[in-house]
Amino acid sequence: ECIEHGKRKIEETSGVDKLSLIEISSNEFNVNVTKAGGAEEVFEHKLDKQAGTLLIVFKKGDQEVGSWHLKALQEPLRAECWCTLDDNYVSTVCALTELQNSLDKAFKHKRGQ
Protein backbone atom coordinates (compact mmCIF):
# COMPACT_ATOMS: atom_id res chain seq x y z
CA GLU A 1 0.00 0.00 0.00
CA CYS A 2 2.79 2.44 0.86
CA ILE A 3 4.64 1.69 -2.38
CA GLU A 4 1.42 2.30 -4.34
CA HIS A 5 0.83 5.69 -2.72
CA GLY A 6 4.48 6.64 -3.15
CA LYS A 7 4.37 5.78 -6.86
CA ARG A 8 1.13 7.70 -7.44
CA LYS A 9 2.64 10.88 -5.98
CA ILE A 10 4.34 12.92 -8.69
CA GLU A 11 7.23 14.97 -7.34
CA GLU A 12 8.42 18.15 -8.99
CA THR A 13 11.65 17.68 -10.93
CA SER A 14 14.42 20.23 -11.13
CA GLY A 15 14.89 19.54 -14.85
CA VAL A 16 12.76 20.51 -17.81
CA ASP A 17 10.91 17.17 -18.10
CA LYS A 18 7.18 17.38 -17.48
CA LEU A 19 5.48 14.59 -15.52
CA SER A 20 1.78 13.78 -15.44
CA LEU A 21 -0.24 11.09 -13.69
CA ILE A 22 -3.03 9.35 -15.63
CA GLU A 23 -5.40 7.24 -13.52
CA ILE A 24 -6.74 4.26 -15.49
CA SER A 25 -8.39 2.27 -12.70
CA SER A 26 -7.93 1.65 -9.00
CA ASN A 27 -5.15 -0.82 -9.84
CA GLU A 28 -3.62 0.84 -12.93
CA PHE A 29 -2.06 4.22 -13.61
CA ASN A 30 0.52 5.75 -15.93
CA VAL A 31 3.23 8.30 -15.32
CA ASN A 32 3.79 10.16 -18.59
CA VAL A 33 7.07 11.99 -19.14
CA THR A 34 7.50 14.65 -21.79
CA LYS A 35 11.19 15.32 -22.36
CA ALA A 36 12.53 18.80 -23.16
CA GLY A 37 12.96 17.81 -26.81
CA GLY A 38 9.35 16.60 -27.04
CA ALA A 39 10.02 12.85 -26.75
CA GLU A 40 7.34 10.92 -24.84
CA GLU A 41 7.97 8.20 -22.28
CA VAL A 42 5.34 6.25 -20.35
CA PHE A 43 5.68 4.20 -17.18
CA GLU A 44 2.61 1.94 -16.97
CA HIS A 45 1.90 0.73 -13.42
CA LYS A 46 -0.25 -2.33 -12.67
CA LEU A 47 -0.94 -3.36 -9.07
CA ASP A 48 -2.13 -6.68 -7.75
CA LYS A 49 -2.82 -5.98 -4.10
CA GLN A 50 -3.78 -9.59 -3.33
CA ALA A 51 -0.46 -10.90 -4.65
CA GLY A 52 1.53 -7.92 -3.32
CA THR A 53 2.98 -7.16 -6.76
CA LEU A 54 3.63 -4.07 -8.86
CA LEU A 55 4.53 -4.24 -12.55
CA ILE A 56 6.03 -1.14 -14.19
CA VAL A 57 6.37 -1.20 -18.00
CA PHE A 58 8.62 1.48 -19.54
CA LYS A 59 7.81 2.61 -23.08
CA LYS A 60 9.49 5.12 -25.39
CA GLY A 61 6.92 6.04 -27.98
CA ASP A 62 5.20 2.79 -28.94
CA GLN A 63 8.21 0.58 -28.12
CA GLU A 64 8.50 -1.29 -24.83
CA VAL A 65 12.00 -0.80 -23.41
CA GLY A 66 11.73 -2.97 -20.30
CA SER A 67 9.73 -3.73 -17.20
CA TRP A 68 10.28 -3.81 -13.47
CA HIS A 69 8.60 -6.33 -11.22
CA LEU A 70 8.29 -5.61 -7.48
CA LYS A 71 6.92 -8.13 -5.00
CA ALA A 72 6.34 -7.74 -1.29
CA LEU A 73 6.93 -10.92 0.69
CA GLN A 74 6.00 -11.66 4.29
CA GLU A 75 7.39 -13.69 7.17
CA PRO A 76 9.92 -12.12 7.29
CA LEU A 77 8.89 -8.89 5.55
CA ARG A 78 11.07 -8.28 2.49
CA ALA A 79 10.84 -7.20 -1.14
CA GLU A 80 12.05 -8.53 -4.48
CA CYS A 81 12.63 -6.59 -7.68
CA TRP A 82 13.77 -7.71 -11.11
CA CYS A 83 13.99 -6.07 -14.51
CA THR A 84 13.69 -7.31 -18.11
CA LEU A 85 16.26 -5.08 -19.83
CA ASP A 86 18.53 -6.98 -22.23
CA ASP A 87 21.86 -6.00 -20.68
CA ASN A 88 22.31 -8.03 -17.46
CA TYR A 89 24.41 -5.39 -15.72
CA VAL A 90 22.06 -2.53 -16.61
CA SER A 91 19.08 -4.71 -15.66
CA THR A 92 20.55 -5.41 -12.21
CA VAL A 93 21.44 -1.77 -11.55
CA CYS A 94 17.99 -0.61 -12.72
CA ALA A 95 16.22 -3.19 -10.54
CA LEU A 96 18.21 -2.16 -7.45
CA THR A 97 17.67 1.53 -8.17
CA GLU A 98 13.92 1.07 -8.71
CA LEU A 99 13.58 -0.98 -5.53
CA GLN A 100 15.47 1.65 -3.50
CA ASN A 101 13.41 4.50 -4.99
CA SER A 102 10.15 2.60 -4.34
CA LEU A 103 11.10 1.88 -0.73
CA ASP A 104 12.17 5.51 -0.18
CA LYS A 105 8.78 6.73 -1.45
CA ALA A 106 6.95 4.13 0.65
CA PHE A 107 8.76 5.21 3.82
CA LYS A 108 8.04 8.88 3.05
CA HIS A 109 4.37 8.05 2.64
CA LYS A 110 4.33 6.03 5.86
CA ARG A 111 5.86 8.98 7.75
CA GLY A 112 3.26 11.31 6.22
CA GLN A 113 5.63 13.44 4.17
Side-chain angles (χ1 to χ4, degrees), residues 47-102:
L47 298 155
D48 183 339
K49 293 179 184 180
Q50 296 281 60
T53 60
L54 171 63
L55 169 64
I56 304 168
V57 177
F58 173 45
K59 293 182 177 179
K60 281 188 175 183
D62 292 332
Q63 184 171 355
E64 184 176 317
V65 177
S67 59
W68 290 263
H69 303 262
L70 288 92
K71 180 166 180 62
L73 303 167
Q74 295 181 0
E75 298 178 29
L77 181 61
R78 61 202 186 281
E80 292 179 347
C81 183
W82 62 99
C83 180
T84 63
L85 295 173
D86 290 334
D87 183 302
N88 285 335
Y89 176 77
V90 172
S91 180
T92 301
V93 170
C94 287
L96 290 171
T97 302
E98 182 59 35
L99 180 59
Q100 183 64 55
N101 289 340
S102 297

Side-chain angles (χ1 to χ4, degrees), residues 11-79:
E11 296 179 359
E12 293 295 321
T13 60
S14 59
V16 291
D17 296 346
K18 294 194 180 357
L19 305 175
S20 60
L21 178 70
I22 308 297
E23 295 283 351
I24 296 169
S25 70
S26 63
N27 294 327
E28 294 183 39
F29 62 96
N30 293 347
V31 175
N32 294 357
V33 180
T34 303
K35 297 292 200 177
E40 298 283 331
E41 297 178 348
V42 178
F43 294 86
E44 299 175 346
H45 295 70
K46 294 180 183 174
L47 298 155
D48 183 339
K49 293 179 184 180
Q50 296 281 60
T53 60
L54 171 63
L55 169 64
I56 304 168
V57 177
F58 173 45
K59 293 182 177 179
K60 281 188 175 183
D62 292 332
Q63 184 171 355
E64 184 176 317
V65 177
S67 59
W68 290 263
H69 303 262
L70 288 92
K71 180 166 180 62
L73 303 167
Q74 295 181 0
E75 298 178 29
L77 181 61
R78 61 202 186 281

